[in-house]
């Protein structure tokens, strides 16, 4: 029963994580950029008021922790013979992609999102347009986040596809 609960937590949090990142990166962020500066209050509300970035990071952490726990329980404590056996390799590849994606998102993208949130918060609190330094900071941060975002999307795609097809990998080599 506890494996079922772990699996539901892992899959549910993972679906939210991947779906939120894809929706934000492919739709919300470009639309907000195209509508700027009128979208600035919306972006601030999403990031600060709704804590969107923190919630995505929490979902990612939940996904990774539940996945590692599942892998530990189902691989005899990370036994390499089990982890790298053809019947489990899809989960190992997917898990590795998920962990690396979580590290990139949490360690690189998330701090940049917090910089955007703080900068926009200051601009809105002071009811003024951004200074040239703030414009430069926001443009640089957006460019860095967008570049890293493609790697996050690729990592999530690899994780999802690998885990969704893991049970069939052994059919490909038999």
């Amino acid at each position: 029963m506890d494996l079922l609960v772990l699996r539901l937590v892992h899959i549910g949090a993972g679906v939210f994580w991947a779906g939120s990142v894809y929706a934000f990166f492919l739709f919300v962020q470009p639309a907000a950029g195209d509508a700027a500066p009128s979208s600035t209050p919306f972006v601030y509300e999403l990031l600060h008021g709704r804590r969107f970035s923190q919630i995505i990071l929490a979902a990612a952490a939940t996904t990774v922790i539940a996945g590692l726990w599942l892998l530990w329980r189902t691989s005899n404590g990370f036994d390499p013979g089990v982890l790298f056996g053809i019947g489990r390799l899809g989960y190992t590849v997917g898990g590795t992609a998920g962990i690396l994606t979580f590290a990139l998102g949490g360690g690189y993208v998330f701090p940049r999102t917090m910089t955007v949130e703080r900068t926009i918060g200051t601009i809105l609190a002071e009811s003024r347009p951004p200074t040239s330094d703030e414009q430069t900071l926001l443009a640089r941060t957006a460019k860095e986040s967008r570049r890293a975002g493609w790697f996050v999307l690729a990592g999530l795609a690899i994780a999802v596809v690998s885990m969704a097809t893991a049970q069939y990998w052994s059919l490909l080599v038999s």
Side-chain angles (χ1 to χ4, degrees):
M1 180 63 153
D2 59 331
L3 286 179
L4 175 62
V5 172
L6 266 177
R7 194 155 188 233
L8 289 173
V9 168
H10 176 68
I11 292 170
V15 165
F16 179 82
W17 174 25
S20 296
V21 168
Y22 268 83
F24 184 78
F25 185 76
L26 297 177
F27 298 100
V28 175
Q29 189 181 42
D34 290 347
S38 62
S39 62
T40 303
F42 167 77
V43 171
Y44 185 71
E45 174 61 25
L46 182 65
L47 296 178
H48 182 75
R50 306 297 171 151
R51 300 181 52 218
F52 189 66
S53 299
Q54 291 94 333
I55 291 169
I56 290 175
L57 187 62
T62 301
T63 303
V64 169
I65 291 167
L68 285 170
W69 195 355
L70 271 170
L71 201 56
W72 171 265
R73 295 279 315 275
T74 60
S75 68
N76 298 325
F78 300 130
D79 176 3
V82 176
L83 287 175
F84 297 105
I86 193 65
R88 304 285 309 177
L89 192 56
Y91 297 111
T92 303
V93 169
T96 301
I99 291 166
L100 292 173
T101 301
F102 173 63
L104 176 62
Y108 187 82
V109 177
F110 181 76
R112 280 152 184 77
T113 305
M114 294 296 94
T115 297
V116 169
E117 178 187 328
R118 282 190 305 275
T119 305
I120 291 174
T122 300
I123 293 166
L124 291 175
E126 296 174 4
S127 298
R128 61 169 176 78
T131 66
S132 61
D133 286 344
E134 288 168 335
Q135 286 176 330
T136 302
L137 174 66
L138 290 171
R140 185 187 78 239
T141 304
K143 183 179 178 182
E144 292 169 352
S145 295
R146 192 115 180 107
R147 190 177 321 123
W150 288 110
F151 289 100
V152 169
L153 293 181
L156 287 171
I158 291 167
V160 169
V161 169
S162 296
M163 289 189 194
T165 62
Q167 64 183 340
Y168 304 107
W169 286 33
S170 61
L171 299 175
L172 297 175
V173 294
S174 37

